[in-house]
Amino acid sequence: MKRSLLLVLGLCIFGLGIAFAADNPQMGTWKLNEAKSKIPAGVMKNTTVVYAADGDNIKVTTGGTTGDGKPVHTEWTGKFDGKDYPLTGDPNADSRSYTQVNDRTLSLNNKKDGKVAITGRIVVSKDGKTRTLTTSGKDGSGKKMSSTAIYDKQ
């Protein structure tokens, strides 16, 4: 009886995670629209961003280039609950937190060695076709920067 109850409880939690992911406008593949974006030279640029369900977590995978043009691939898996989760592949950060602000908006913090390096806000348009990421903080050399990246849903 206990095993059955635990199995049902586990399936319910898994189902809630899938339902959240299916209804979340952030989910899916996004491609950078460089013509509409304002990303300064020397700043890391994510050309592809993918949000996908990973059990009851969200997995965010990015591909792009570092500030000096080298290829970069990052991965983050966690929840949009404001807690720090490990970030791999980013030379300027080792953890990230996302907070769900409303149904179309996330805030984020990238940290390096426990210190906030980049803050940002992600807003998906009402029609769900574009995503705007505004960030500010310090680049890899410690210089202040800000950028606006516009992504199109694929």
Side-chain angles (χ1 to χ4, degrees):
M1 181 68 170
K2 278 186 179 181
R3 285 185 187 167
S4 295
L5 185 59
L6 287 174
L7 179 61
V8 168
L9 181 63
L11 288 173
C12 287
I13 290 170
F14 180 75
L16 283 172
I18 299 254
F20 169 76
D23 290 338
N24 191 316
Q26 302 282 348
M27 303 305 283
T29 301
W30 300 90
K31 296 276 185 192
L32 180 66
N33 184 328
E34 292 196 52
K36 293 182 179 177
S37 298
K38 294 180 180 152
I39 302 172
V43 173
M44 191 165 101
K45 179 175 15 179
N46 292 323
T47 53
T48 304
V49 180
V50 179
Y51 286 77
D54 187 24
D56 66 341
N57 289 314
I58 304 296
K59 183 173 185 173
V60 180
T61 307
T62 70
T65 56
T66 60
D68 57 359
K70 295 177 184 165
V72 65
H73 173 86
T74 70
E75 291 188 13
W76 175 94
T77 301
K79 295 178 178 20
F80 297 157
D81 59 5
K83 295 179 183 175
D84 293 339
Y85 293 91
L87 173 64
T88 60
D90 187 332
N92 302 315
D94 52 28
S95 70
R96 176 180 294 153
S97 65
Y98 286 97
T99 302
Q100 187 85 41
V101 175
N102 60 43
D103 62 334
R104 295 181 301 107
T105 307
L106 297 172
S107 64
L108 71 87
N109 287 309
N110 280 359
K111 292 182 179 177
K112 181 74 170 179
D113 300 325
K115 295 179 183 176
V116 174
I118 301 283
T119 61
R121 188 170 189 84
I122 304 164
V123 179
V124 175
S125 62
K126 287 183 181 180
D127 66 7
K129 293 180 181 179
T130 59
R131 169 183 179 273
T132 303
L133 167 64
T134 54
T135 59
S136 62
K138 295 183 180 179
D139 65 15
S141 64
K143 201 164 106 181
K144 283 188 178 186
M145 69 88 196
S146 64
S147 69
T148 301
I150 309 294
Y151 294 86
D152 297 319
K153 185 96 178 221
Q154 300 302 294

